[in-house]
Amino acid sequence: MFQINDNYQKLPGSYLFSTIAKKVAAFSEANPDKSIIRLGIGDVTQPIAPAIIEAMHKAVDEMADAKTFRGYAPDLGYEFLRKAISENDYKARGCDIEADEIFVSDGAKSDSGNIQEIFSTDNRIAVCDPVYPVYVDSNVMAGRTGTYDTATGMWSNVIYMPCTRENNFVPEFPKETPDMIYLCLPNNPTGTTIKKAQLQEWVDYANKVGAVIIYDGAYEAYISEDDVAHSIYECEGAKTCAIELKSFSKNAGFTGVRLGYTVVPKELKCGGVSLHGMWARRHGTKFNGAPYIIQRAGEAVYSDAGKAQLKEQIAYYMKNASTIKAGLQEAGFEVYGGVNAPYIWLKTPGQMTSWEFFDYLLEKANVVGTPGSGFGPSGEGYFRLTAFGSYENTVAALERIKAL
């Protein structure tokens, strides 16, 4: 008789955002007259920029002509997009990343979950706490995390790096030595980040102990401070210890279009084995390439018009972030983030748990956010709001919260 992967049975409950969606749907069904403002999931609301839409239309027309029709995309990505990424996201910042070290995908979430496949299940992972749940959940599925303690919300074989107000939500080197270190900077959900000099310390640490850093830079476009790195490869020695994940979802509004990429430097090796070669083999075997139309859209992100239009969109969302932060502070909340990332991280009032505050906000203000505990045990007592709504809805949500 066939057997299942029992590791899936270890996962507690459903995926965080699925749980939220079910709760909101149930509330809407019971209260059809209520107008709900959603500031929970990190989904963009502004339309795709005109320069990108123009490129997509042109690519669609090409697909209608036998002379320019494209079938299967190169599994690692079209050269035109990989070159644009290399030139604009890396070489323009002094990072020596070549086009053939870039692997185009359908989004950073997929790569976040899949990258662990090229590592041994004996490896121990270290994660910031709180953090994006995909990192831990995908390692649970692989059988790398041990057993789950329902009392603490922690896995026995995971090394947690608490990010709390006591350490300014900045991870500290763990007492135990990890094999794989997940860093998401600027951080989801806290909206905080570290300076380039601090990131260099992590690179030095990883090279010293023989660990690999899985660096999620999905929110780098929102960085506003000069001393914060946009890529881990701005740090000396990063090419021998780091894999970087990037997304077009938040910087260019591709949440519904789907495009991302992963950088695996050729210098990154384990016992003489190239991780670049391993990821290329995995990628080519399990992925058939992002669509041509979407990759042309990605190329347009780096055009002069695309850059200018996306700069305006990012400014729009960051205006929302500063509005939320200032409004909540005026209302007496303890608030973090909102400077280098489109997320606001707030302390729940009184002794409310994260889910109690979620229910309270939904029922009394008809506003949806994300419970901090869903991102890890250190997120308990905190709550995340996103700046990706419309400005009008953002202001309306604040007015409702202030009226509580």
Side-chain angles (χ1 to χ4, degrees):
M1 182 177 178
F2 69 86
Q3 302 292 317
I4 63 169
N5 180 349
D6 285 331
N7 294 311
Y8 278 70
Q9 301 302 105
K10 298 177 182 179
L11 290 164
S14 61
Y15 183 57
L16 171 62
F17 296 104
S18 297
T19 302
I20 291 173
K22 290 175 183 176
K23 277 180 166 281
V24 175
F27 180 83
S28 294
E29 185 176 352
N31 302 274
D33 59 320
K34 302 293 185 182
S35 172
I36 297 174
I37 299 177
R38 302 167 192 267
L39 300 180
I41 190 170
D43 195 2
V44 296
T45 54
Q46 294 299 295
I48 292 176
I52 299 171
I53 291 294
E54 182 180 349
M56 291 176 72
H57 279 299
K58 182 179 178 181
V60 168
D61 290 338
E62 288 182 48
M63 298 298 276
D65 188 332
K67 295 178 181 179
T68 52
F69 171 79
R70 306 291 181 111
Y72 286 124
D75 53 7
L76 307 185
Y78 280 103
E79 181 67 17
F80 62 77
L81 178 57
R82 298 169 89 188
K83 184 177 180 180
I85 292 169
S86 172
E87 293 293 335
N88 289 274
D89 286 350
Y90 293 102
K91 292 186 177 180
R93 296 190 175 114
C95 305
D96 185 23
I97 297 296
E98 299 297 330
D100 62 0
E101 294 176 299
I102 296 163
F103 299 81
V104 177
S105 72
D106 61 354
K109 182 177 183 179
S110 297
D111 289 348
S112 295
N114 294 331
I115 194 67
Q116 52 77 28
E117 289 188 18
I118 65 174
F119 297 99
S120 168
T121 54
D122 293 331
N123 286 346
R124 292 197 68 189
I125 68 168
V127 296
C128 295
D129 174 31
V131 81
Y132 186 44
V134 170
Y135 310 149
V136 174
D137 285 1
S138 58
N139 279 282
V140 173
M141 294 171 178
R144 196 176 282 116
T145 56
T147 57
Y148 183 71
D149 187 332
T150 55
T152 63
M154 302 172 77
W155 293 90
S156 62
N157 207 39
V158 173
I159 300 170
Y160 291 87
M161 301 181 292
C163 299
T164 65
R165 58 181 170 182
E166 285 72 30
N167 61 13
N168 297 314
F169 301 99
V170 171
E172 299 172 357
F173 298 133
K175 294 179 181 178
E176 300 175 87
T177 302
D179 302 298
M180 300 162 62
I181 303 167
Y182 285 82
L183 294 178
C184 176
L185 298 166
N187 183 260
N188 175 17
T190 66
T192 57
T193 194
I194 61 177
K195 299 183 184 302
K196 181 179 177 180
Q198 293 172 292
L199 184 57
Q200 180 67 60
E201 292 176 0
W202 277 98
V203 170
D204 295 341
Y205 170 79
N207 277 318
K208 179 181 177 181
V209 303
V212 62
I213 296 174
I214 310 299
Y215 190 82
D216 187 343
Y219 301 95
E220 66 82 17
Y222 292 85
I223 293 172
S224 62
E225 297 178 323
D226 293 335
D227 55 356
V228 176
H230 287 258
S231 167
I232 196 169
Y233 302 117
E234 293 180 40
C235 297
E236 185 177 354
K239 292 182 71 176
T240 58
C241 72
I243 293 172
E244 185 163 278
L245 315 175
K246 287 287 187 71
S247 169
F248 287 81
S249 288
K250 303 306 192 293
N251 68 323
F254 279 31
T255 54
V257 174
R258 308 309 305 152
L259 190 65
Y261 66 86
T262 290
V263 177
V264 186
K266 295 176 183 177
E267 296 174 32
L268 182 55
K269 298 179 179 181
C270 178
V273 177
S274 167
L275 270 68
H276 179 275
M278 289 183 70
W279 185 243
R281 186 68 172 85
R282 189 267 172 208
H283 203 71
T285 300
K286 294 190 174 186
F287 185 64
N288 236 14
Y292 171 72
I293 296 166
I294 306 306
Q295 292 198 49
R296 280 299 186 190
E299 180 188 32
V301 166
Y302 301 103
S303 67
D304 290 341
K307 288 178 181 178
Q309 290 163 11
L310 293 181
K311 185 177 180 180
E312 291 181 3
Q313 283 197 357
I314 290 168
Y316 178 94
Y317 291 131
M318 291 311 291
K319 178 183 178 182
N320 287 350
S322 61
T323 299
I324 295 171
K325 187 169 187 177
L328 290 176
Q329 287 174 332
E330 290 174 8
F333 286 89
E334 184 179 316
V335 189
Y336 304 91
V339 176
N340 293 298
Y343 292 122
I344 302 298
W345 189 242
L346 62 115
K347 187 78 178 67
T348 58
Q351 300 300 314
M352 275 191 183
T353 67
S354 298
W355 278 108
E356 285 172 348
F357 188 64
F358 173 90
D359 291 335
Y360 175 73
L361 211 58
L362 177 60
E363 294 170 9
K364 303 299 182 182
N366 308 145
V367 172
V368 177
T370 308
S373 58
F375 297 99
S378 291
E380 181 55 86
Y382 288 87
F383 202 75
R384 192 193 76 174
L385 293 175
T386 83
F388 287 123
S390 69
Y391 180 71
E392 292 74 19
N393 278 348
T394 297
V395 172
L398 277 173
E399 292 175 350
R400 293 182 187 184
I401 294 172
K402 288 180 179 181
L404 292 175

